[in-house]
Every structure is written in C-alpha cells, then in structure tokens.
Amino acid sequence: MNPSLKAFTALLLTASLALSGCSSTKSPSSAAPDDSGKKEAAPAFTVPTDPVTLKLLVHGVSLSDVDFQTFYVEPLKKKYPHITLELQTKTNGTAAALEKLIAANDLPDIILLDNDWYMPLKQLGIPEDLTDLIKKFQIDLTKLDPQTVQTVRGLEPGKFPLMPYYQSAGAMFYNKDLFNKFGVPYPKDDMQWPAVMELARKMTRMQDGVQYIGVDLRLPDHLVSPYSQPFVDPKTNKALVDIPLYKRVLELFDQMYNMPGFVSGKTYAYAPDGFIKDKMVAMVPDWYSKTLSDLVQAQANGMAPDWDLVTNPTFDDSAGKGRHAIAGGLAISKTSKHKDQAMLVLQMMASREEQVLLSSNAKVTIMNDDGVKKAFGTAIPALKDKNTAAIFKYPASATPPANIADKEVQAIIRAMRKDIAIDKKDINTVLREAQEKADKKIAELMQ
C-alpha cells in the first residue's frame, strides 16, 4: 500500500472508531483463570439481550453454506436467539479488499480468518485486542492446544487478536475412480515427492478426449510449509525467496509442467475444481480443512468424486513433519458497536459443546480434550471408511514469524508458477526476479 493510501486508510479508520465509540470494555467478569492459571476477581456483568444483527466477513479462508448453517446459524439460534449473524461478504484476503470496506464505512463486526491471513488486518489496524474480553468472559485458554495459543500470540506480541476454534493440517487427496480406471495403485501414507511425481506421470494422460492430470501441486509455499520458512528475514527485512529451498520446490513444479498435456494454452493450474467438480485431477496435496469442507459440500449436492486421502508428501529431510500450525478463528473489529455480543459468538465457538459439534463434522478441535478429539468425523457417514488418521499422523511444524509484508511476498512466490509454466523462464531467472520484486514491495510497505 503506498504512503498516501495508507494515510487515507488510517484517517478513515480513526474516524470510524471515533463515531462508533469503539473502546473495548476492560472490566473483567467474576473470578476467571487467565492462561497462566491465575484467577482475577471482578464484578459480574450482563450482556444486553436486545435483538442485534452482527456482520461476519470471511477473509481469505473458506466457509461453505453448509458450514455456515451448521456451525454458526443453528447453534446461535438455540443459544442466543437475540443474535442474528449475517454473512456480509468474502474477500480474497488482501489489504485492498479490506480498504474498500473501510472507505465505505462497512467493516464487519466479526472476521473469520486464520493466522496466515492476519497481517492485512494488522496492517490496517482493524482487529480488537481480545485480551480483556477473554478475561471478562472467563475463557480459559489453558484448555486449548498450547501450540495454537502460541501461534495466535505470535501474531502481535502482548496481544491476543484472534479467538481460535479450529486447526488445519496438510493432506493429499486422491480420486480413487481415476486410479481404478487406469489400473494404477493408490497413493500411500508417508510418500515423498519423487514417488508422487512418478505416480503423476502415470496418471497424466489423454484418454477418450479428456486430458487427465496426475497431480496439481497447488502452490510453492505449501511445499515449503513443513520447514517453518519465513517469507521475510526479520533482521534484514529482505525477502526469503531466492533460496535453495524454493529452487528445490520449483524443480518439482517444472517437472509437473513438462508432463505431456499438463499445460494447455494459458492453463497450468486445475485444483480445486479439477479435482472436485470436473474429476479429471488424480491427486491434490492441500490444506485438509478447506478441501474436506468443499468435498462435504459436494457430497451434499451429490457431486463429489470417490475420494480418499493420505499424509501430506514431504522431501526426505522433512519426513514425518506436518505443515506449519494453522489456527483458524474469529477476530472482532475495533469499529464494532456490539463487541460484547460479538464476544458471545467467539465464546460459543470455543466452547466444549461447539467443539464437539465441529469435531464430529471433521474439524480438528483446538481443545486438549480426548473426548472431543474422539468425536472427529462421527457426524459424516461418508468419512467412515476414509483414512482420516492421515490428518493427525504428522505433528504440525512451528508457525514462522509473521511479517507485515507476508501476503505481498507470498503472492509474488505464487506468481512464479506462471513464469515457469507459460513464460518458460528458467528457475534461476524466476527466483532472481521474484526476489527483486519482493524486496521492492517490502521497501514500499516499510515507508
């Protein structure tokens, strides 16, 4: 964001804050433990029960219609009938999309996101620090997964800007029908990338007028995830793009694009629609939460392929490591006029009752509770014979330090795919040019 636009955005947000009376309530409720286990006594409080409509923004992540009704609308109707949650819109996760909402004085009350999409919110000063509200509503963070809590704390030291309610992990989904069609053995757990690419070569073929794709590797940063690799060097504020790890990853993408029939005209990426809707992609390594949610939605519509999943493939030096920790959850906008009511929604999503509901519908719980964990997938009959254990087999790697320029650098990294697939540039040139673009973008943001 250029300096003038940054100043304009800050001015608009400041005006919105002043008009909405947005200061957070700082008087905690009755005795409640904080995340250190200590208790703090304070007077009780009451949240108004007047009918209120809260706006929910989906920022950079996925929320299907089925999930919105199952996890938000129906539980709220039972628990807090005076609160109506309205799905405002979905953004692509960029700061520019948020700036439009600020300019229109239309920021939501609640924002659904995960830690990977937090920096654009921080960049614009949108999220409320939830520390005092967590104490006020007696939310015991010691009951949550410690790594998830630490991931949230790492977004802004000294603050707790996001109430997590689910986790994610990497997995590789595959279309059983296609493997059966071509007589090729299914993928297995603990595969490494060379073996995946060998399978992909067997499955990438033209048959009966249809071009089948063996694997869509999706995005370079996904493959780098188990290494906890930052996008930006926190000491030098230089991008970490032109490094051996990304060269290693781009060599896999280059192999994929060179498979006969893979690149068609200007098309070089096929998932998720190619896997779920068109059913012509055999394997897709991705974040399980989004893909599984889309598959459940497709099954509800009678459109899903016959699928299963295995562990996320790795390189030899990252064997047994999962992708970096993802904490998905809800933030409250500083401009919201209904922070207490919004906090009731956040509290509900982190409650044991809701966590059982989420877990039974195949969302990985944030709670250290074996009973909640054992409920995983029990509400979805189609998961009965699926290899869901693959989701939990590898422990999550540490989340890398966040930087204000993460999303800009990530976009540049992802654009390298086109440079290789369509523009036919060599990998060293692609890395060098991407590094230069990223450093320039970081310098602009630091002004």
Side-chain angles (χ1 to χ4, degrees):
M1 183 166 57
N2 62 51
S4 60
L5 183 55
K6 185 184 294 185
F8 176 64
T9 299
L11 180 62
L12 283 171
L13 185 58
T14 301
S16 297
L17 292 172
L19 289 170
S20 65
C22 64
S23 59
S24 63
T25 305
K26 293 192 176 183
S27 55
S29 68
S30 56
D34 60 21
D35 58 313
S36 66
K38 298 179 180 179
K39 291 188 176 182
E40 182 175 348
F45 74 99
T46 301
V47 178
T49 56
D50 299 328
V52 62
T53 296
L54 304 177
K55 291 184 178 181
L56 173 69
L57 171 71
V58 180
H59 173 69
V61 297
S62 174
L63 180 66
S64 69
D65 293 338
V66 169
D67 285 357
F68 181 57
Q69 291 295 322
T70 303
F71 304 135
Y72 291 89
V73 176
E74 293 173 9
L76 271 175
K77 191 179 297 184
K78 294 177 182 177
K79 194 173 184 68
Y80 302 115
H82 63 287
I83 298 177
T84 299
L85 194 62
E86 178 183 291
L87 189 57
Q88 178 183 5
T89 187
K90 299 180 181 181
T91 76
N92 59 6
T94 63
L98 296 169
E99 287 162 5
K100 291 180 181 179
L101 296 177
I102 293 173
N105 195 27
D106 195 27
L107 279 175
D109 299 279
I110 303 173
I111 303 170
L112 171 63
L113 72 158
D114 63 39
N115 50 285
D116 277 359
W117 293 100
Y118 179 74
M119 283 299 119
L121 271 70
K122 177 184 176 182
Q123 182 181 346
L124 298 173
I126 292 173
E128 177 79 6
D129 178 12
L130 302 178
T131 301
D132 291 328
L133 285 167
I134 286 171
K135 292 179 180 179
K136 179 178 179 179
F137 282 78
Q138 306 184 50
I139 298 174
D140 186 357
L141 298 181
T142 64
K143 294 182 178 180
L144 309 187
D145 173 62
Q147 187 176 41
T148 300
V149 173
Q150 185 56 45
T151 296
V152 174
R153 290 199 181 286
L155 295 172
E156 285 199 69
K159 295 183 179 181
F160 204 85
L162 169 70
M163 177 54 63
Y165 76 83
Y166 71 92
Q167 302 180 66
S168 191
M172 186 166 75
F173 295 80
Y174 64 94
N175 185 321
K176 297 172 71 174
D177 286 335
L178 294 187
F179 280 89
N180 293 337
K181 181 181 181 71
F182 300 136
V184 177
Y186 297 153
K188 299 179 180 179
D189 282 346
D190 306 316
M191 291 185 73
Q192 295 187 359
W193 288 116
V196 172
M197 299 309 290
E198 189 59 36
L199 266 185
R201 290 184 187 94
K202 295 177 181 179
M203 296 295 294
T204 301
R205 62 177 77 184
M206 173 71 77
Q207 185 160 318
D208 301 326
V210 178
Q211 177 62 57
Y212 293 97
I213 300 299
V215 68
D216 186 337
L217 294 175
R218 298 289 284 130
L219 303 163
D221 48 293
H222 285 187
L223 277 65
V224 169
S225 178
Y227 295 90
S228 302
Q229 174 66 48
F231 289 118
V232 181
D233 187 325
K235 295 181 180 179
T236 64
N237 283 326
K238 296 293 184 180
L240 294 168
V241 177
D242 191 1
I243 59 175
L245 184 53
Y246 274 110
K247 183 175 182 180
R248 188 180 188 185
V249 166
L250 291 187
E251 287 171 349
L252 283 186
F253 277 81
D254 191 43
Q255 290 178 35
M256 181 176 70
Y257 297 140
N258 281 311
M259 292 178 190
F262 191 99
V263 177
S264 177
K266 297 295 183 182
T267 302
Y268 59 92
Y270 299 90
D273 281 352
F275 181 75
I276 298 176
K277 180 181 176 182
D278 301 326
K279 303 177 182 61
M280 40 76 75
V281 175
M283 297 178 286
V284 178
D286 210 339
W287 291 103
Y288 102 87
S289 57
K290 180 184 186 305
T291 305
L292 191 56
S293 177
D294 290 344
L295 283 166
V296 170
Q297 179 77 62
Q299 287 181 192
N301 298 334
M303 299 289 291
D306 184 8
W307 62 275
D308 208 338
L309 71 163
V310 294
T311 52
N312 193 69
T314 63
F315 289 109
D316 53 0
D317 59 354
S318 62
K321 293 182 179 179
R323 293 187 180 187
H324 70 273
I326 287 287
L330 302 169
I332 296 177
S333 297
K334 287 180 180 178
T335 53
S336 174
K337 299 177 181 178
H338 308 290
K339 291 189 180 67
D340 280 353
Q341 292 91 336
M343 196 63 193
L344 285 176
V345 178
L346 273 62
Q347 182 185 45
M348 181 190 76
M349 298 301 290
S351 69
R352 191 180 190 280
E353 180 182 9
E354 181 77 10
Q355 287 295 304
V356 169
L357 175 65
L358 287 158
S359 181
S360 66
N361 282 276
K363 305 293 183 185
V364 176
T365 180
I366 57 167
M367 301 193 80
N368 280 327
D369 187 314
D370 289 340
V372 178
K373 294 176 182 178
K374 288 178 181 178
F376 185 85
T378 54
I380 304 178
L383 294 183
K384 182 179 180 181
D385 298 320
K386 305 298 185 186
N387 181 30
T388 55
I391 298 168
F392 305 95
K393 188 170 184 178
Y394 297 162
S397 299
T399 300
N403 186 282
I404 201 72
D406 279 352
K407 281 301 164 186
E408 284 77 3
V409 176
Q410 183 187 59
I412 292 169
I413 287 171
R414 294 179 174 184
M416 294 192 296
R417 297 178 300 158
K418 178 178 179 294
D419 292 337
I420 296 172
I422 304 301
D423 300 333
K424 304 299 182 182
K425 294 182 180 180
D426 70 272
I427 292 173
N428 289 331
T429 299
V430 169
L431 287 168
R432 185 184 69 253
E433 292 178 351
Q435 178 74 38
E436 292 170 355
K437 291 176 185 176
D439 285 340
K440 182 178 179 181
K441 177 59 69 173
I442 295 169
E444 291 174 358
L445 291 172
M446 295 298 175
Q447 291 178 0

